[in-house]
Amino acid sequence: MAKPTLLTVDDDPNVLKAIERDLRTRYGENYRVLRASSGDAGLQLLRELKVRNDAVALLLADQRMPQMDGIGFLSEARKVYPDAKRALLTAYADTSAAINAINDVNVHYFFLKPWDPPAQHLYPVIDDLLEDWTASYRPPYEGIRVLGTRWSPAAYDVRDFLARHQVPYQWIDVELSADDPEVKELIASIGDDVAHLPLTLFPDGTRMFHSSPAELAEKIGLRTRAETQFYDLAIVGGGPGGLAAAVYGASEGLKTVMIDREAPGGQAGLSSRIENYLGFPSGLSGADLARRAVMQAQRFGVEIIAPQEVVGLRSEGPYRILKLANGSEISCHAALVATGVQWRRLEVPGVDRLQGAGVYYGGGSQEASSYKGEPVYVVGGANSAGQAALNFAHYADKVVMLVRGDSLSTTMSRYLVDQIEKTPNIQVWTHAEVIEVHGASHLEEVSVQCSDTNTVERVPVSAMFIYIGALPQTDWLNGILERDELGFILAGPYLRKDGKRPEGWTLDREPFLLETSVPGVFVVGDVRHGSIKRVASAVGEGAIAVQFIHRYMAKV
Ligand SMILES: Cc1cc2nc3c(=O)[nH]c(=O)nc-3n(C[C@H](O)[C@H](O)[C@H](O)COP(=O)(O)OP(=O)(O)OC[C@H]3O[C@@H](n4cnc5c(N)ncnc54)[C@H](O)[C@@H]3O)c2cc1C
């Protein structure tokens, strides 16, 4: 933690050096002593400290300075650091100005020059001021801070990125907390650049406006490039399937790399509460599951590369080669595709324009608390929508589930339907379909087509979260692996057509259970044709695939 600052300001270099020396001697161990040679320089320094969220305990300024005198400096400095103790250094002749300052700008004390010996004329009072300051001091937040408005898609992207990578941060909504004195001071310190929000502030003072995932990844030290070029096992996708394969593979001696285009955790990482995963009777959040699995994988030496997208796959003799979006390649003995599924788009007017500004696909659980006391709409009637509705119900005034069918029971697990029925602020609106969303800069209203009454209702909405099923994104494997008409990848017995092995299959054995149409390339989890879309199934398949990979590698 950075030490709180004592700032001394004087235009006379000799006085400045002397006071700095005396302060450092006595307080250097617990405080950082900084100096400035004019009021302007002092204010500039304070603004920088403010943006870094550093604490300032004491401001000590000489009264007689050209341009801005001590009282002028202290009254301006008070706007930036209202809680810092303020003291003046004065000549005897300025005593009455100093006394007036005590009243006018709330100066806490004035010292007469010279202050020798400091043990008698300086330290006792400063000790007292600092004691007083410490008593009401709350240490500032020391991590990453993100400033923006909740309707800004760019701000949402930054927060989503940090949350999915499990990086703690403080979110400052500059509109909602516009009256907060600390936020006011922070915005004043940022100056005109405030027009370029969102801004990510790092504890080392780095400021990033509109930061991209790549910039954030580099700044927080994520690995986006492979350490070496060759691995026994390369896994594409870091959801439960990929993570399980990584843990089993690495723990059984395979040099393993796992690449994810967003963050490890996959879809499961977005789940607010997984209640049906074995061994967790009261459920656990997807983020928690992801965090535990990532730690486990790292413990076994898995190299995790994220965010980085895999865009191609080819074979060269016994090697499988993955092409990454940054142009680099990774070779391996065996590759495993565990890329899961991605949200289906809701194709109605306004959705694309307002995405991130009130309209969200999925929506991380960190979003829920932003809608305290407001109406939230959830589109969809399957388990993921049910979990989200229950989560939002803790915060939102009212949660409305828009469901096309006539009830939830055909699409959702019983335990979720029961919980929803018992939650008074969740309303299930059946026979309802979103046909348009409205709002200039952010979502304001939704038009809902009611199929039972054949009417359209336009309702006010703060946020709408879409959970309408998902499809695989496997176009990058087109012509390489056999897929079904929706893009799910075929493996094992599904590859047999008319009793024949897949085209181009050269080995004198059948493809293993989870092996694709290319020997040595395996597939697990939601992206596999015929899979059961569950965390436990993906985890089980990840573990099983590793056994087949051992058998494959034994004969390469
Ligand atoms: C909100 C929600 C709640 C859910 N709740 C439950 C529940 O309570 N219980 C339950 O059993 N199941 C639940 N599920 C389903 C469960 O999460 C999935 O079945 C499971 O996550 C599938 O795991 P997977 O490893 O196959 O793929 P995913 O979890 O989909 O992970 C795939 C990963 O691959 C990455 N990826 C995709 N393409 C590429 C590429 N080209 N390059 C690199 N990386 C790529 C993605 O970024 C993603 O991280 C829920 C799903 C959702 C969305």
Side-chain angles (χ1 to χ4, degrees):
M1 184 171 111
K3 296 176 193 172
T5 296
L6 311 183
L7 173 65
T8 170
V9 185
D10 206 312
D11 66 310
D12 181 332
N14 293 327
V15 178
L16 190 59
K17 246 189 235 159
I19 190 87
E20 185 196 11
R21 180 202 58 219
D22 287 345
L23 290 175
R24 212 179 280 274
T25 308
R26 170 86 171 196
Y27 304 105
E29 201 179 318
N30 299 320
Y31 293 86
R32 186 166 46 153
V33 179
L34 299 179
R35 62 180 182 181
S37 57
S38 70
D40 279 334
L43 288 175
Q44 180 57 29
L45 187 57
L46 286 180
R47 288 192 192 105
E48 282 163 26
L49 293 171
K50 189 82 213 174
V51 172
R52 294 167 64 123
N53 221 14
D54 285 353
V56 174
L58 176 77
L59 302 161
L60 178 55
D62 198 331
Q63 167 58 7
R64 279 208 188 176
M65 292 190 289
Q67 280 108 33
M68 188 186 291
D69 64 16
I71 294 174
F73 165 75
L74 290 177
S75 72
E76 284 303 307
R78 189 183 176 192
K79 295 177 190 159
V80 189
Y81 277 99
D83 298 330
K85 295 294 168 191
R86 294 173 290 278
L88 269 180
L89 212 49
T90 54
Y92 183 73
D94 296 326
T95 312
S96 58
I99 292 170
N100 288 341
I102 292 181
N103 300 325
D104 298 343
V105 289
N106 212 341
V107 166
H108 297 101
Y109 198 80
F110 65 91
F111 296 94
L112 286 176
K113 288 191 276 190
W115 56 88
D116 277 332
Q120 201 176 335
H121 299 300
L122 191 68
Y123 298 149
V125 177
I126 293 191
D127 283 350
D128 200 35
L129 290 175
L130 292 180
E131 224 171 80
D132 202 25
W133 179 83
T134 313
S136 56
Y137 167 61
R138 276 185 298 117
Y141 179 76
E142 293 210 9
I144 296 173
R145 288 170 297 154
V146 182
L147 275 80
T149 63
R150 70 171 164 161
W151 305 123
S152 151
Y156 176 78
D157 288 346
V158 172
R159 292 155 61 205
D160 190 50
F161 180 90
L162 294 173
R164 296 202 60 181
H165 285 274
Q166 322 240 345
V167 178
Y169 68 91
Q170 187 184 48
W171 164 237
I172 301 171
D173 185 320
V174 294
E175 278 174 5
L176 288 183
S177 40
D179 295 334
D180 181 317
E182 278 196 17
V183 174
K184 273 190 191 162
E185 289 156 27
L186 184 56
I187 288 173
S189 329
I190 293 165
D192 294 344
D193 283 339
V194 82
H196 307 298
L197 296 180
L199 166 64
T200 311
L201 294 168
F202 294 85
D204 67 357
T206 308
R207 303 166 172 210
M208 280 189 185
F209 289 94
H210 276 260
S211 32
S212 68
E215 287 167 332
L216 286 171
E218 190 181 328
K219 182 68 194 164
I220 58 184
L222 298 177
R223 186 190 290 276
T224 55
R225 292 183 169 271
E227 211 169 64
T228 61
Q229 281 185 329
F230 193 82
Y231 297 83
D232 294 322
L233 171 60
I235 299 168
V236 189
L243 280 163
V247 167
Y248 281 92
S251 68
E252 291 166 19
L254 300 179
K255 186 170 164 52
T256 303
V257 63
M258 189 184 81
I259 307 132
D260 198 292
R261 68 177 175 190
E262 289 172 15
Q267 294 171 71
L270 304 172
S271 169
S272 46
R273 186 140 292 266
I274 300 169
E275 298 200 50
N276 53 2
Y277 190 55
L278 189 71
F280 294 89
S282 49
L284 85 169
S285 73
D288 199 13
L289 180 68
R291 188 180 49 77
R292 287 161 185 258
V294 166
M295 264 169 58
Q296 207 172 0
Q298 283 170 333
R299 213 190 98 215
F300 287 121
V302 176
E303 195 179 316
I304 298 177
I305 301 180
Q308 187 60 258
E309 186 167 8
V310 178
V311 292
L313 166 71
R314 67 175 199 280
S315 299
E316 275 182 21
Y319 305 117
R320 305 291 167 260
I321 296 154
L322 296 176
K323 186 165 184 207
L324 309 189
N326 66 359
S328 65
E329 293 192 330
I330 289 177
S331 306
C332 55
H333 283 306
L336 177 83
V337 181
T339 49
V341 288
Q342 281 74 42
W343 295 112
R344 268 184 41 217
R345 318 290 299 172
L346 179 61
E347 313 246 339
V348 303
V351 161
D352 287 352
R353 188 173 52 83
L354 296 175
Q355 188 181 338
V359 174
Y360 306 95
Y361 284 95
S365 40
Q366 85 276 0
E367 282 310 299
S369 57
S370 307
Y371 294 97
K372 274 197 183 113
E374 297 184 41
V376 162
Y377 277 57
V378 169
V379 184
N383 282 2
S384 49
Q387 277 181 9
L390 286 164
N391 185 37
F392 290 131
H394 293 302
Y395 305 92
D397 180 33
K398 171 173 89 163
V399 180
V400 180
M401 297 189 74
L402 295 175
V403 181
R404 278 198 302 188
D406 58 5
S407 79
L408 286 178
S409 55
T410 45
T411 47
M412 194 179 286
S413 298
R414 191 67 238 168
Y415 77 95
L416 284 169
V417 178
D418 290 345
Q419 288 182 39
I420 287 170
E421 281 169 0
K422 281 188 218 141
T423 309
N425 62 336
I426 300 183
Q427 176 195 336
V428 181
W429 185 353
T430 53
H431 302 286
E433 191 173 346
V434 176
I435 55 165
E436 189 169 357
V437 298
H438 317 269
S441 59
H442 62 85
L443 179 69
E444 289 169 42
E445 289 177 313
V446 170
S447 288
V448 181
Q449 166 93 51
C450 312
S451 61
D452 50 351
T453 55
N454 214 11
T455 53
V456 173
E457 283 192 37
R458 197 162 155 157
V459 287
V461 177
S462 295
M464 183 176 91
F465 294 85
I466 305 167
Y467 301 80
I468 53 167
L471 284 174
Q473 285 177 2
T474 51
D475 285 353
W476 60 283
L477 292 165
N478 189 17
I480 303 165
L481 301 184
E482 285 198 20
R483 303 176 302 152
D484 67 14
E485 62 288 356
L486 292 176
F488 290 97
I489 298 171
L490 303 179
Y494 290 111
L495 288 165
R496 259 194 175 270
K497 271 190 215 125
D498 305 326
K500 290 195 194 121
R501 289 176 182 163
E503 210 177 303
W505 185 263
T506 49
L507 304 182
D508 59 0
R509 62 165 173 82
E510 296 293 318
F512 292 126
L513 183 66
L514 299 171
E515 198 171 24
T516 67
S517 52
V518 173
V521 178
F522 295 79
V523 60
V524 299
D526 283 10
V527 71
R528 186 177 67 79
H529 171 89
S531 63
I532 304 295
K533 311 286 183 281
R534 289 278 183 275
V535 174
S537 330
V539 168
E541 289 185 18
I544 296 167
V546 170
Q547 291 315 305
F548 291 119
I549 288 166
H550 283 305
R551 280 163 68 182
Y552 166 78
M553 284 175 51
K555 273 203 163 183
V556 180

